[in-house]
Amino acid sequence: MEIVHIYTRRRSDFGRPCYFSDRPAEVCVDIQPDPSLAEAFMLRCPVDTPVQHGSEMSEHEVNTERVEVETRGVNHVEGGWPKDINPQEMEQTARFRKKVEKEENYVNTIVHLGTLMEHCVRQNNAIDIYEEYFGEEEEAEMEDEAPSAKTINVIRDPNITKRTAAHLSWHPDRCKKLAVAYSCLEFQQSTEDMSLDSYIWDLENPNKPQLVLKPSSPLVSLEYNPKDAHILVGGCYNGQLAYWDTRKGGLPVEVSTVEASHRDPVYGAIWLQSKTGTECFSASTDGQVLWWDIRKLSEPTETLVLDITRQGLLENALGAITLEFEPTMPTKFMVGTEQGIVITCNRKAKTPPEKIAGTYSGHHGPVYALTRNPLYPKIFLTVGDWTARIWSEEAKESSIMWTKYHLSYLTAGCWSTVRPAVFFTTKMDGTLDVWDFLFKQNDPSLSLKICDEPLSSLRLQDNGCIVGCGSKLGTVTLLEISSGLCTLQRNEKNLANAMFERETKREKILEARHREMRLKERARSEGQDAEAEEILEESPQEALDRAQKEFFEVIEAELQRRARAEARHLDGKVKKRAGEEAVVQGEESELPKYEEESEEKDAAKVSSPQPHSPPPGGLCLRGAAPGPPARSPHRSSSGARPGGSHRKRGAAHRCSLALCPPDFIFPLV
């Protein structure tokens, strides 16, 4: 390393500036040679003597003793456990704690440490040395930043025949390496000369893969071991399972036998939390979930058939497309199927039918992505058909939230590892959508056009800042997300939890209402079925008699109802008519004499018995001869009674009521 020191000097210290100009050369002094002086000189072999008008400067270098510097990091993890205790196993740690807490030495140590801790707590209450005074301003600046992303790297399939980047897996310790599984998932488009290799890429040198993995069949899934970063497990297209040790080269260390493996491509392979760190399980579209120990891949340690009828029949099994396993729930896992159903399973169940705990149905096609929320494990995300849906384990019948139906098919999705309200989805048109449902529910907060071909895989780094998207032509694009989308916002956990709980409660209420309606409908249909069965058991004559009886009962009931209604109606008319006649009689006493005589004649005609008039006893209507109208109880505006001409124009037919015997009442049809 060259050390350079720059000397500086003020301009005023240089003195008067010099100005130079171009001019022809001229002789200032011409000294002629003097041969007599040659005797005073000694002849020397050619001598070069430079002449410079100025002080001579010398350059000196000074270097101190070299100090070698190393960068070292400290990673604080949970420790202090015995070697036979796995800190990830809740049962073992709880049992060990109970054992230790009963020891006398533990109690004495806690009492001693209590006084020291009390002193520290009081000191911290007096002054908080870790207080951040400008945190609010930084958060405010961060919130103002618009969501964005930039491409930091593009990795392409080095083969001539391009294959799909089916699966991505980040290195667990250093996020500078990425394992990519390449395979052609369309059987008819595969060729004999198509490469079977998959690669591990170093992001600092993306032009050439760091390691070439050479499986016996193209890899569909590939996962790093979280406990040993040198070990990878891969699921092959022909159903076999293989594992690699990067320290031993690109050839697999061991491969499962064809007879004991899956019969379809292995779309999911996940490592389990175990003491040895060598256990994993896989799922395939053949409808099986197999558990393995990579130390012995000759046969699986356990098998589960995904038959939701709980009969254990392989022909009824649903094909698995994706697997989900949460280390905090070591006995539970979830499977996304080709039929759009998510199956929840419990490995520790006693019988195989009990291992299938429940199902969730909500997609019209295969479930291509299934992941739990890293901060709220009871909430999980599914991606299939044209939507992405958010589910709660407590609501079985429907999802609590979902996106709109897109024009393009959705192919992959995952939660943000940092923010509980952010998730990512990819589509067939080459678009990456970033959703932040605390900010916007109907549309994505950020939508990026990654490429023109369909996107097939998606994986986010553990720090949540870099996301990798694999395409159908084997191109893996790495993008860096803006800090606003990968930094936990203020009060975001509480807001997201409140939203999840509210939507879960709403779905529970709707499920209860829907269940009640279905019970009512079932009871109604069962009653109708019972009646139909009774009808089928009758003979034709009995059915005819029953129908005739029901018909006459209906007719009789209808006649009685109409008779009662008619009687009420006529009774009201009689009362109204009696009142009107009383008013008319009071006013007719003032009419002229000739009007009274004509009315008496009309009354005599009406009261005289007719040849066919029935005797009193029932109610019937009979017409009366036309005559002068009854006088209106209201007078004209002048106070005079209306004239005769007006009465003749207003004359109308009257109807009177008479009684007739019940024998003459005809049934109303």
Side-chain angles (χ1 to χ4, degrees), residues 339-351:
Q339 291 76 14
I341 298 175
V342 177
I343 304 175
T344 59
C345 305
N346 185 3
R347 186 187 178 189
K348 297 299 182 182
K350 296 180 180 179
T351 61

Side-chain angles (χ1 to χ4, degrees), residues 626-632 642-654:
R631 194 178 184 284
S632 172
S645 60
H646 295 284
R647 293 191 199 97
K648 290 179 181 179
R649 283 196 298 270
H653 294 280
R654 286 201 190 133

Side-chain angles (χ1 to χ4, degrees), residues 45-102:
C45 201
V47 176
D48 295 331
T49 302
V51 178
Q52 174 66 32
H53 181 70
S55 58
E56 294 184 356
M57 306 290 293
S58 63
E59 182 180 356
H60 300 275
E61 294 183 358
V62 178
N63 191 9
T64 59
E65 184 180 355
R66 182 178 179 183
V67 178
E68 295 183 359
V69 181
E70 283 185 353
T71 302
R72 295 183 180 180
V74 177
N75 184 19
H76 178 72
V77 297
E78 185 177 0
W81 298 98
K83 293 183 178 180
D84 58 339
I85 301 295
N86 184 9
Q88 304 296 334
E89 292 288 342
M90 301 298 294
E91 297 179 359
Q92 296 182 13
T93 56
R95 195 181 307 112
F96 182 76
R97 282 195 183 97
K98 290 181 180 179
K99 177 183 176 182
V100 172
E101 289 173 358
K102 294 179 181 179

Side-chain angles (χ1 to χ4, degrees), residues 143-386:
E143 290 175 358
D144 296 338
E145 182 182 1
S148 62
K150 62 178 181 180
T151 302
I152 60 174
N153 219 329
V154 177
I155 302 173
R156 305 183 188 279
D157 184 4
N159 293 282
I160 298 176
T161 304
K162 303 303 178 184
R163 301 162 298 161
T164 302
H167 199 85
L168 310 178
S169 180
W170 290 100
H171 193 280
D173 297 335
R174 300 187 307 116
C175 291
K176 297 296 183 182
K177 294 182 181 180
L178 180 66
V180 184
Y182 293 92
S183 63
C184 182
L185 300 178
E186 298 180 2
F187 180 76
Q188 294 180 350
Q189 294 185 2
S190 61
T191 58
E192 294 181 358
D193 58 344
M194 184 174 290
S195 175
L196 307 179
D197 300 342
S198 293
Y199 306 103
I200 296 177
W201 298 90
D202 188 351
L203 303 187
E204 296 178 353
N205 184 21
N207 296 324
K208 182 180 179 181
Q210 185 187 35
L211 183 64
V212 180
L213 304 179
K214 296 184 175 296
S216 58
S217 178
L219 291 179
V220 182
S221 58
L222 186 63
E223 282 292 338
Y224 270 106
N225 189 335
K227 287 191 174 182
D228 188 354
H230 299 286
I231 305 298
L232 296 96
V233 66
C236 300
Y237 190 82
N238 64 353
Q240 289 180 297
L241 200 75
Y243 88 93
W244 283 262
D245 189 338
T246 56
R247 295 165 293 191
K248 297 181 180 180
L251 294 176
V253 178
E254 190 172 353
V255 183
S256 65
T257 59
V258 176
E259 295 80 12
S261 303
H262 293 280
R263 298 183 297 178
D264 282 349
V266 181
Y267 285 99
I270 298 181
W271 292 97
L272 293 171
Q273 290 289 344
S274 61
K275 296 179 182 179
T276 59
T278 58
E279 296 182 10
C280 62
F281 71 118
S282 61
S284 171
T285 49
D286 64 353
Q288 294 184 101
V289 178
L290 304 179
W291 282 264
W292 306 86
D293 191 329
I294 61 172
R295 296 173 297 183
K296 184 182 178 182
L297 287 179
S298 58
E299 59 180 359
T301 58
E302 194 176 341
T303 304
L304 174 63
V305 178
L306 298 174
D307 183 7
I308 58 176
T309 61
R310 293 176 173 83
Q311 297 178 1
L313 300 177
L314 193 58
E315 55 267 19
N316 296 336
L318 304 182
I321 288 291
T322 180
L323 268 179
E324 196 285 328
F325 175 74
E326 176 60 35
T328 58
M329 295 185 250
T331 62
K332 294 183 179 180
F333 65 95
M334 305 178 75
V335 183
T337 64
E338 290 180 303
Q339 291 76 14
I341 298 175
V342 177
I343 304 175
T344 59
C345 305
N346 185 3
R347 186 187 178 189
K348 297 299 182 182
K350 296 180 180 179
T351 61
E354 294 178 357
K355 291 184 178 181
I356 298 179
T359 59
Y360 300 86
S361 301
H363 288 286
H364 306 296
V367 180
Y368 287 114
L370 172 61
T371 56
R372 289 186 185 270
N373 192 303
L375 299 179
Y376 301 100
K378 290 188 177 181
I379 306 298
F380 59 93
L381 170 73
T382 61
V383 173
D385 53 64
W386 299 269

Side-chain angles (χ1 to χ4, degrees), residues 368-371 381 383 411-415 423-426 458:
Y368 287 114
L370 172 61
T371 56
L381 170 73
V383 173
T411 56
C414 66
W415 286 102
F423 63 92
F424 302 79
T425 59
T426 57
L458 178 68

